[in-house]
Amino acid sequence: MMRQLQGTMGRSSNSTIFHGVPVVVVCLAALLLSNAVIYLYLDSMYHTDQQPVSSNVGCVPRHFKLVTMKNCTPWLQCLQISAEVRKLKLIGQGAVKKVYLAEWKGQKVALSKLSSLDYLDDFLHGLSMLEALQGPLVVQLVGFCREDNTLVTEHHPLGSLLNLEGVLAQEPHQQHNTWQIRLRLATDYVSILHYLHNSPAGRRVMCDSNSLEKTLSQFLLTNDFHLVVNDVDALPKVDPSRGLLVKCGHRELTGDFVAPEQLWPDKGKPFSDDLMPEYDERTDIWKIPDVTWFLMGRVPGGDLVHFHLFQIHEECKKEDPKLRPSALDVLKVYKSVYSSMVRDNAGFRDML
């Protein structure tokens, strides 16, 4: 009887182990699978060569498609702009152009007009850049008319990146005030720099970026909380291999925001534009940490983001521009930090 009882207990124990082990294995497998799915999702969403989805995806060159449109349409020409685009109100003004909220066939668009003939060259340069750089990271061109110095672009109601804190403070958008969204915006910013430094129109430098405020005003915030570059009036071309360098304007630049090579080097003598050394696109790299610091704001998790980005930001701030990383190098680190932090958060939630 004792042997029978022992035999029964042995079979019961073996049965418990037999049934218990698969449950543990299944749980572990599910955990690993969920992390793998998250990793693959992030890897696909933040692949180095992938860019945010744009409303004009699938359109052939010189065509546009706004968000609510089903089909692509050729860029509007002078007669169409004159007859079909209705100006509503002034929403922005700079030295080069005035920007109006306008309407075209029930669609809200931005209508830009040259402010002064003194800036005609800048206006035409900006238009040529919009034509050449069309893609997911650049505001969508809807049409233009060189005869009266007018251009039409897609309207983004959230406005420029200068408005970020105000937008995120609004009740409908408070859910987006997270380190994930903010780091994604910073990643978009670096993606745009990478695109401009390797664009179809050659290597371009963001010269309208001599202060944080001016830099932020160059970008628009989309409804799905991505960035597009909007103001491309000052994108000179550089090619160091041919000795083609630039100077951003003809006046002396000051302050900590601009790169050291943009400052007048001889403090003992008056500034001379003729003697001011030229530079290349690495001036944009110097400014990345300051822009990202603004974009991250003060949200839970932000300090950890800054910690992970500390090393690459130190490299961006090298006095010698040749020692700074490329925009692509920075972009890879940003995407890696985002992916690893999301995976860590997912793993932490699974443990709970």
Side-chain angles (χ1 to χ4, degrees), residues 203 240-241 243 245 259-261 277-286 314-327 329:
R203 190 178 304 181
S241 65
L245 301 172
E261 62 270 25
E278 296 178 316
Y279 36 82
D280 60 19
E281 80 283 357
R282 291 181 180 90
T283 56
D284 292 335
I285 305 300
W286 171 273
E314 283 283 293
E315 296 174 19
C316 291
K317 289 294 188 179
K318 294 285 188 183
E319 290 283 327
D320 184 350
K322 293 185 176 62
L323 298 179
R324 294 174 203 153
S326 67
D329 293 331

Side-chain angles (χ1 to χ4, degrees), residues 35-108:
N35 284 335
V37 169
I38 291 171
Y39 174 80
L40 291 173
Y41 170 74
L42 291 169
D43 186 60
S44 64
M45 187 168 65
Y46 286 97
H47 191 273
T48 300
D49 297 325
Q50 191 167 345
Q51 297 168 338
V53 176
S54 173
S55 56
N56 69 339
V57 167
C59 291
V60 297
R62 306 183 72 81
H63 286 64
F64 72 96
K65 185 177 73 173
L66 301 177
V67 175
T68 57
M69 293 171 59
K70 293 183 179 180
N71 301 313
C72 299
T73 299
W75 286 342
L76 304 182
Q77 303 299 312
C78 294
L79 288 177
Q80 294 168 295
I81 293 174
S82 176
E84 300 172 6
V85 177
R86 183 168 62 95
K87 186 165 58 178
L88 299 178
K89 64 177 181 178
L90 182 71
I91 57 174
Q93 182 172 357
V96 177
K97 55 185 180 285
K98 295 179 180 179
V99 184
Y100 299 87
L101 176 64
E103 193 173 58
W104 172 76
K105 294 186 176 181
Q107 307 271 357
K108 292 295 189 295

Side-chain angles (χ1 to χ4, degrees), residues 200-316:
R203 190 178 304 181
R204 298 287 169 169
V205 181
M206 291 201 73
C207 266
D208 254 350
S209 60
N210 296 333
S211 69
L212 176 61
E213 292 74 17
K214 187 63 175 175
T215 302
L216 296 173
S217 71
Q218 309 300 299
F219 301 89
L220 294 176
L221 189 60
T222 66
N223 285 338
D224 60 349
F225 281 84
H226 279 285
L227 294 184
V228 290
V229 62
N230 176 58
D231 195 335
V232 291
D233 296 338
L235 290 179
K237 184 178 180 179
V238 297
D239 187 350
S241 65
R242 297 195 294 120
L244 181 61
L245 301 172
V246 300
K247 285 186 290 188
C248 291
H250 302 287
R251 298 179 181 178
E252 181 178 5
L253 301 179
T254 59
D256 296 331
F257 186 75
V258 296
E261 62 270 25
Q262 293 184 280
L263 301 174
W264 173 240
D266 193 344
K267 299 304 180 184
K269 296 182 179 180
F271 173 79
S272 170
D273 183 41
D274 293 333
L275 299 177
M276 177 67 198
E278 296 178 316
Y279 36 82
D280 60 19
E281 80 283 357
R282 291 181 180 90
T283 56
D284 292 335
I285 305 300
W286 171 273
K287 300 163 187 174
I288 289 176
D290 298 299
V291 174
T292 296
W293 187 268
F294 168 84
L295 292 177
M296 289 308 303
R298 296 181 179 274
V299 291
D303 289 342
L304 188 56
V305 172
H306 289 305
F307 173 78
H308 286 305
L309 296 178
F310 179 81
Q311 182 60 46
I312 193 66
H313 283 173
E314 283 283 293
E315 296 174 19
C316 291

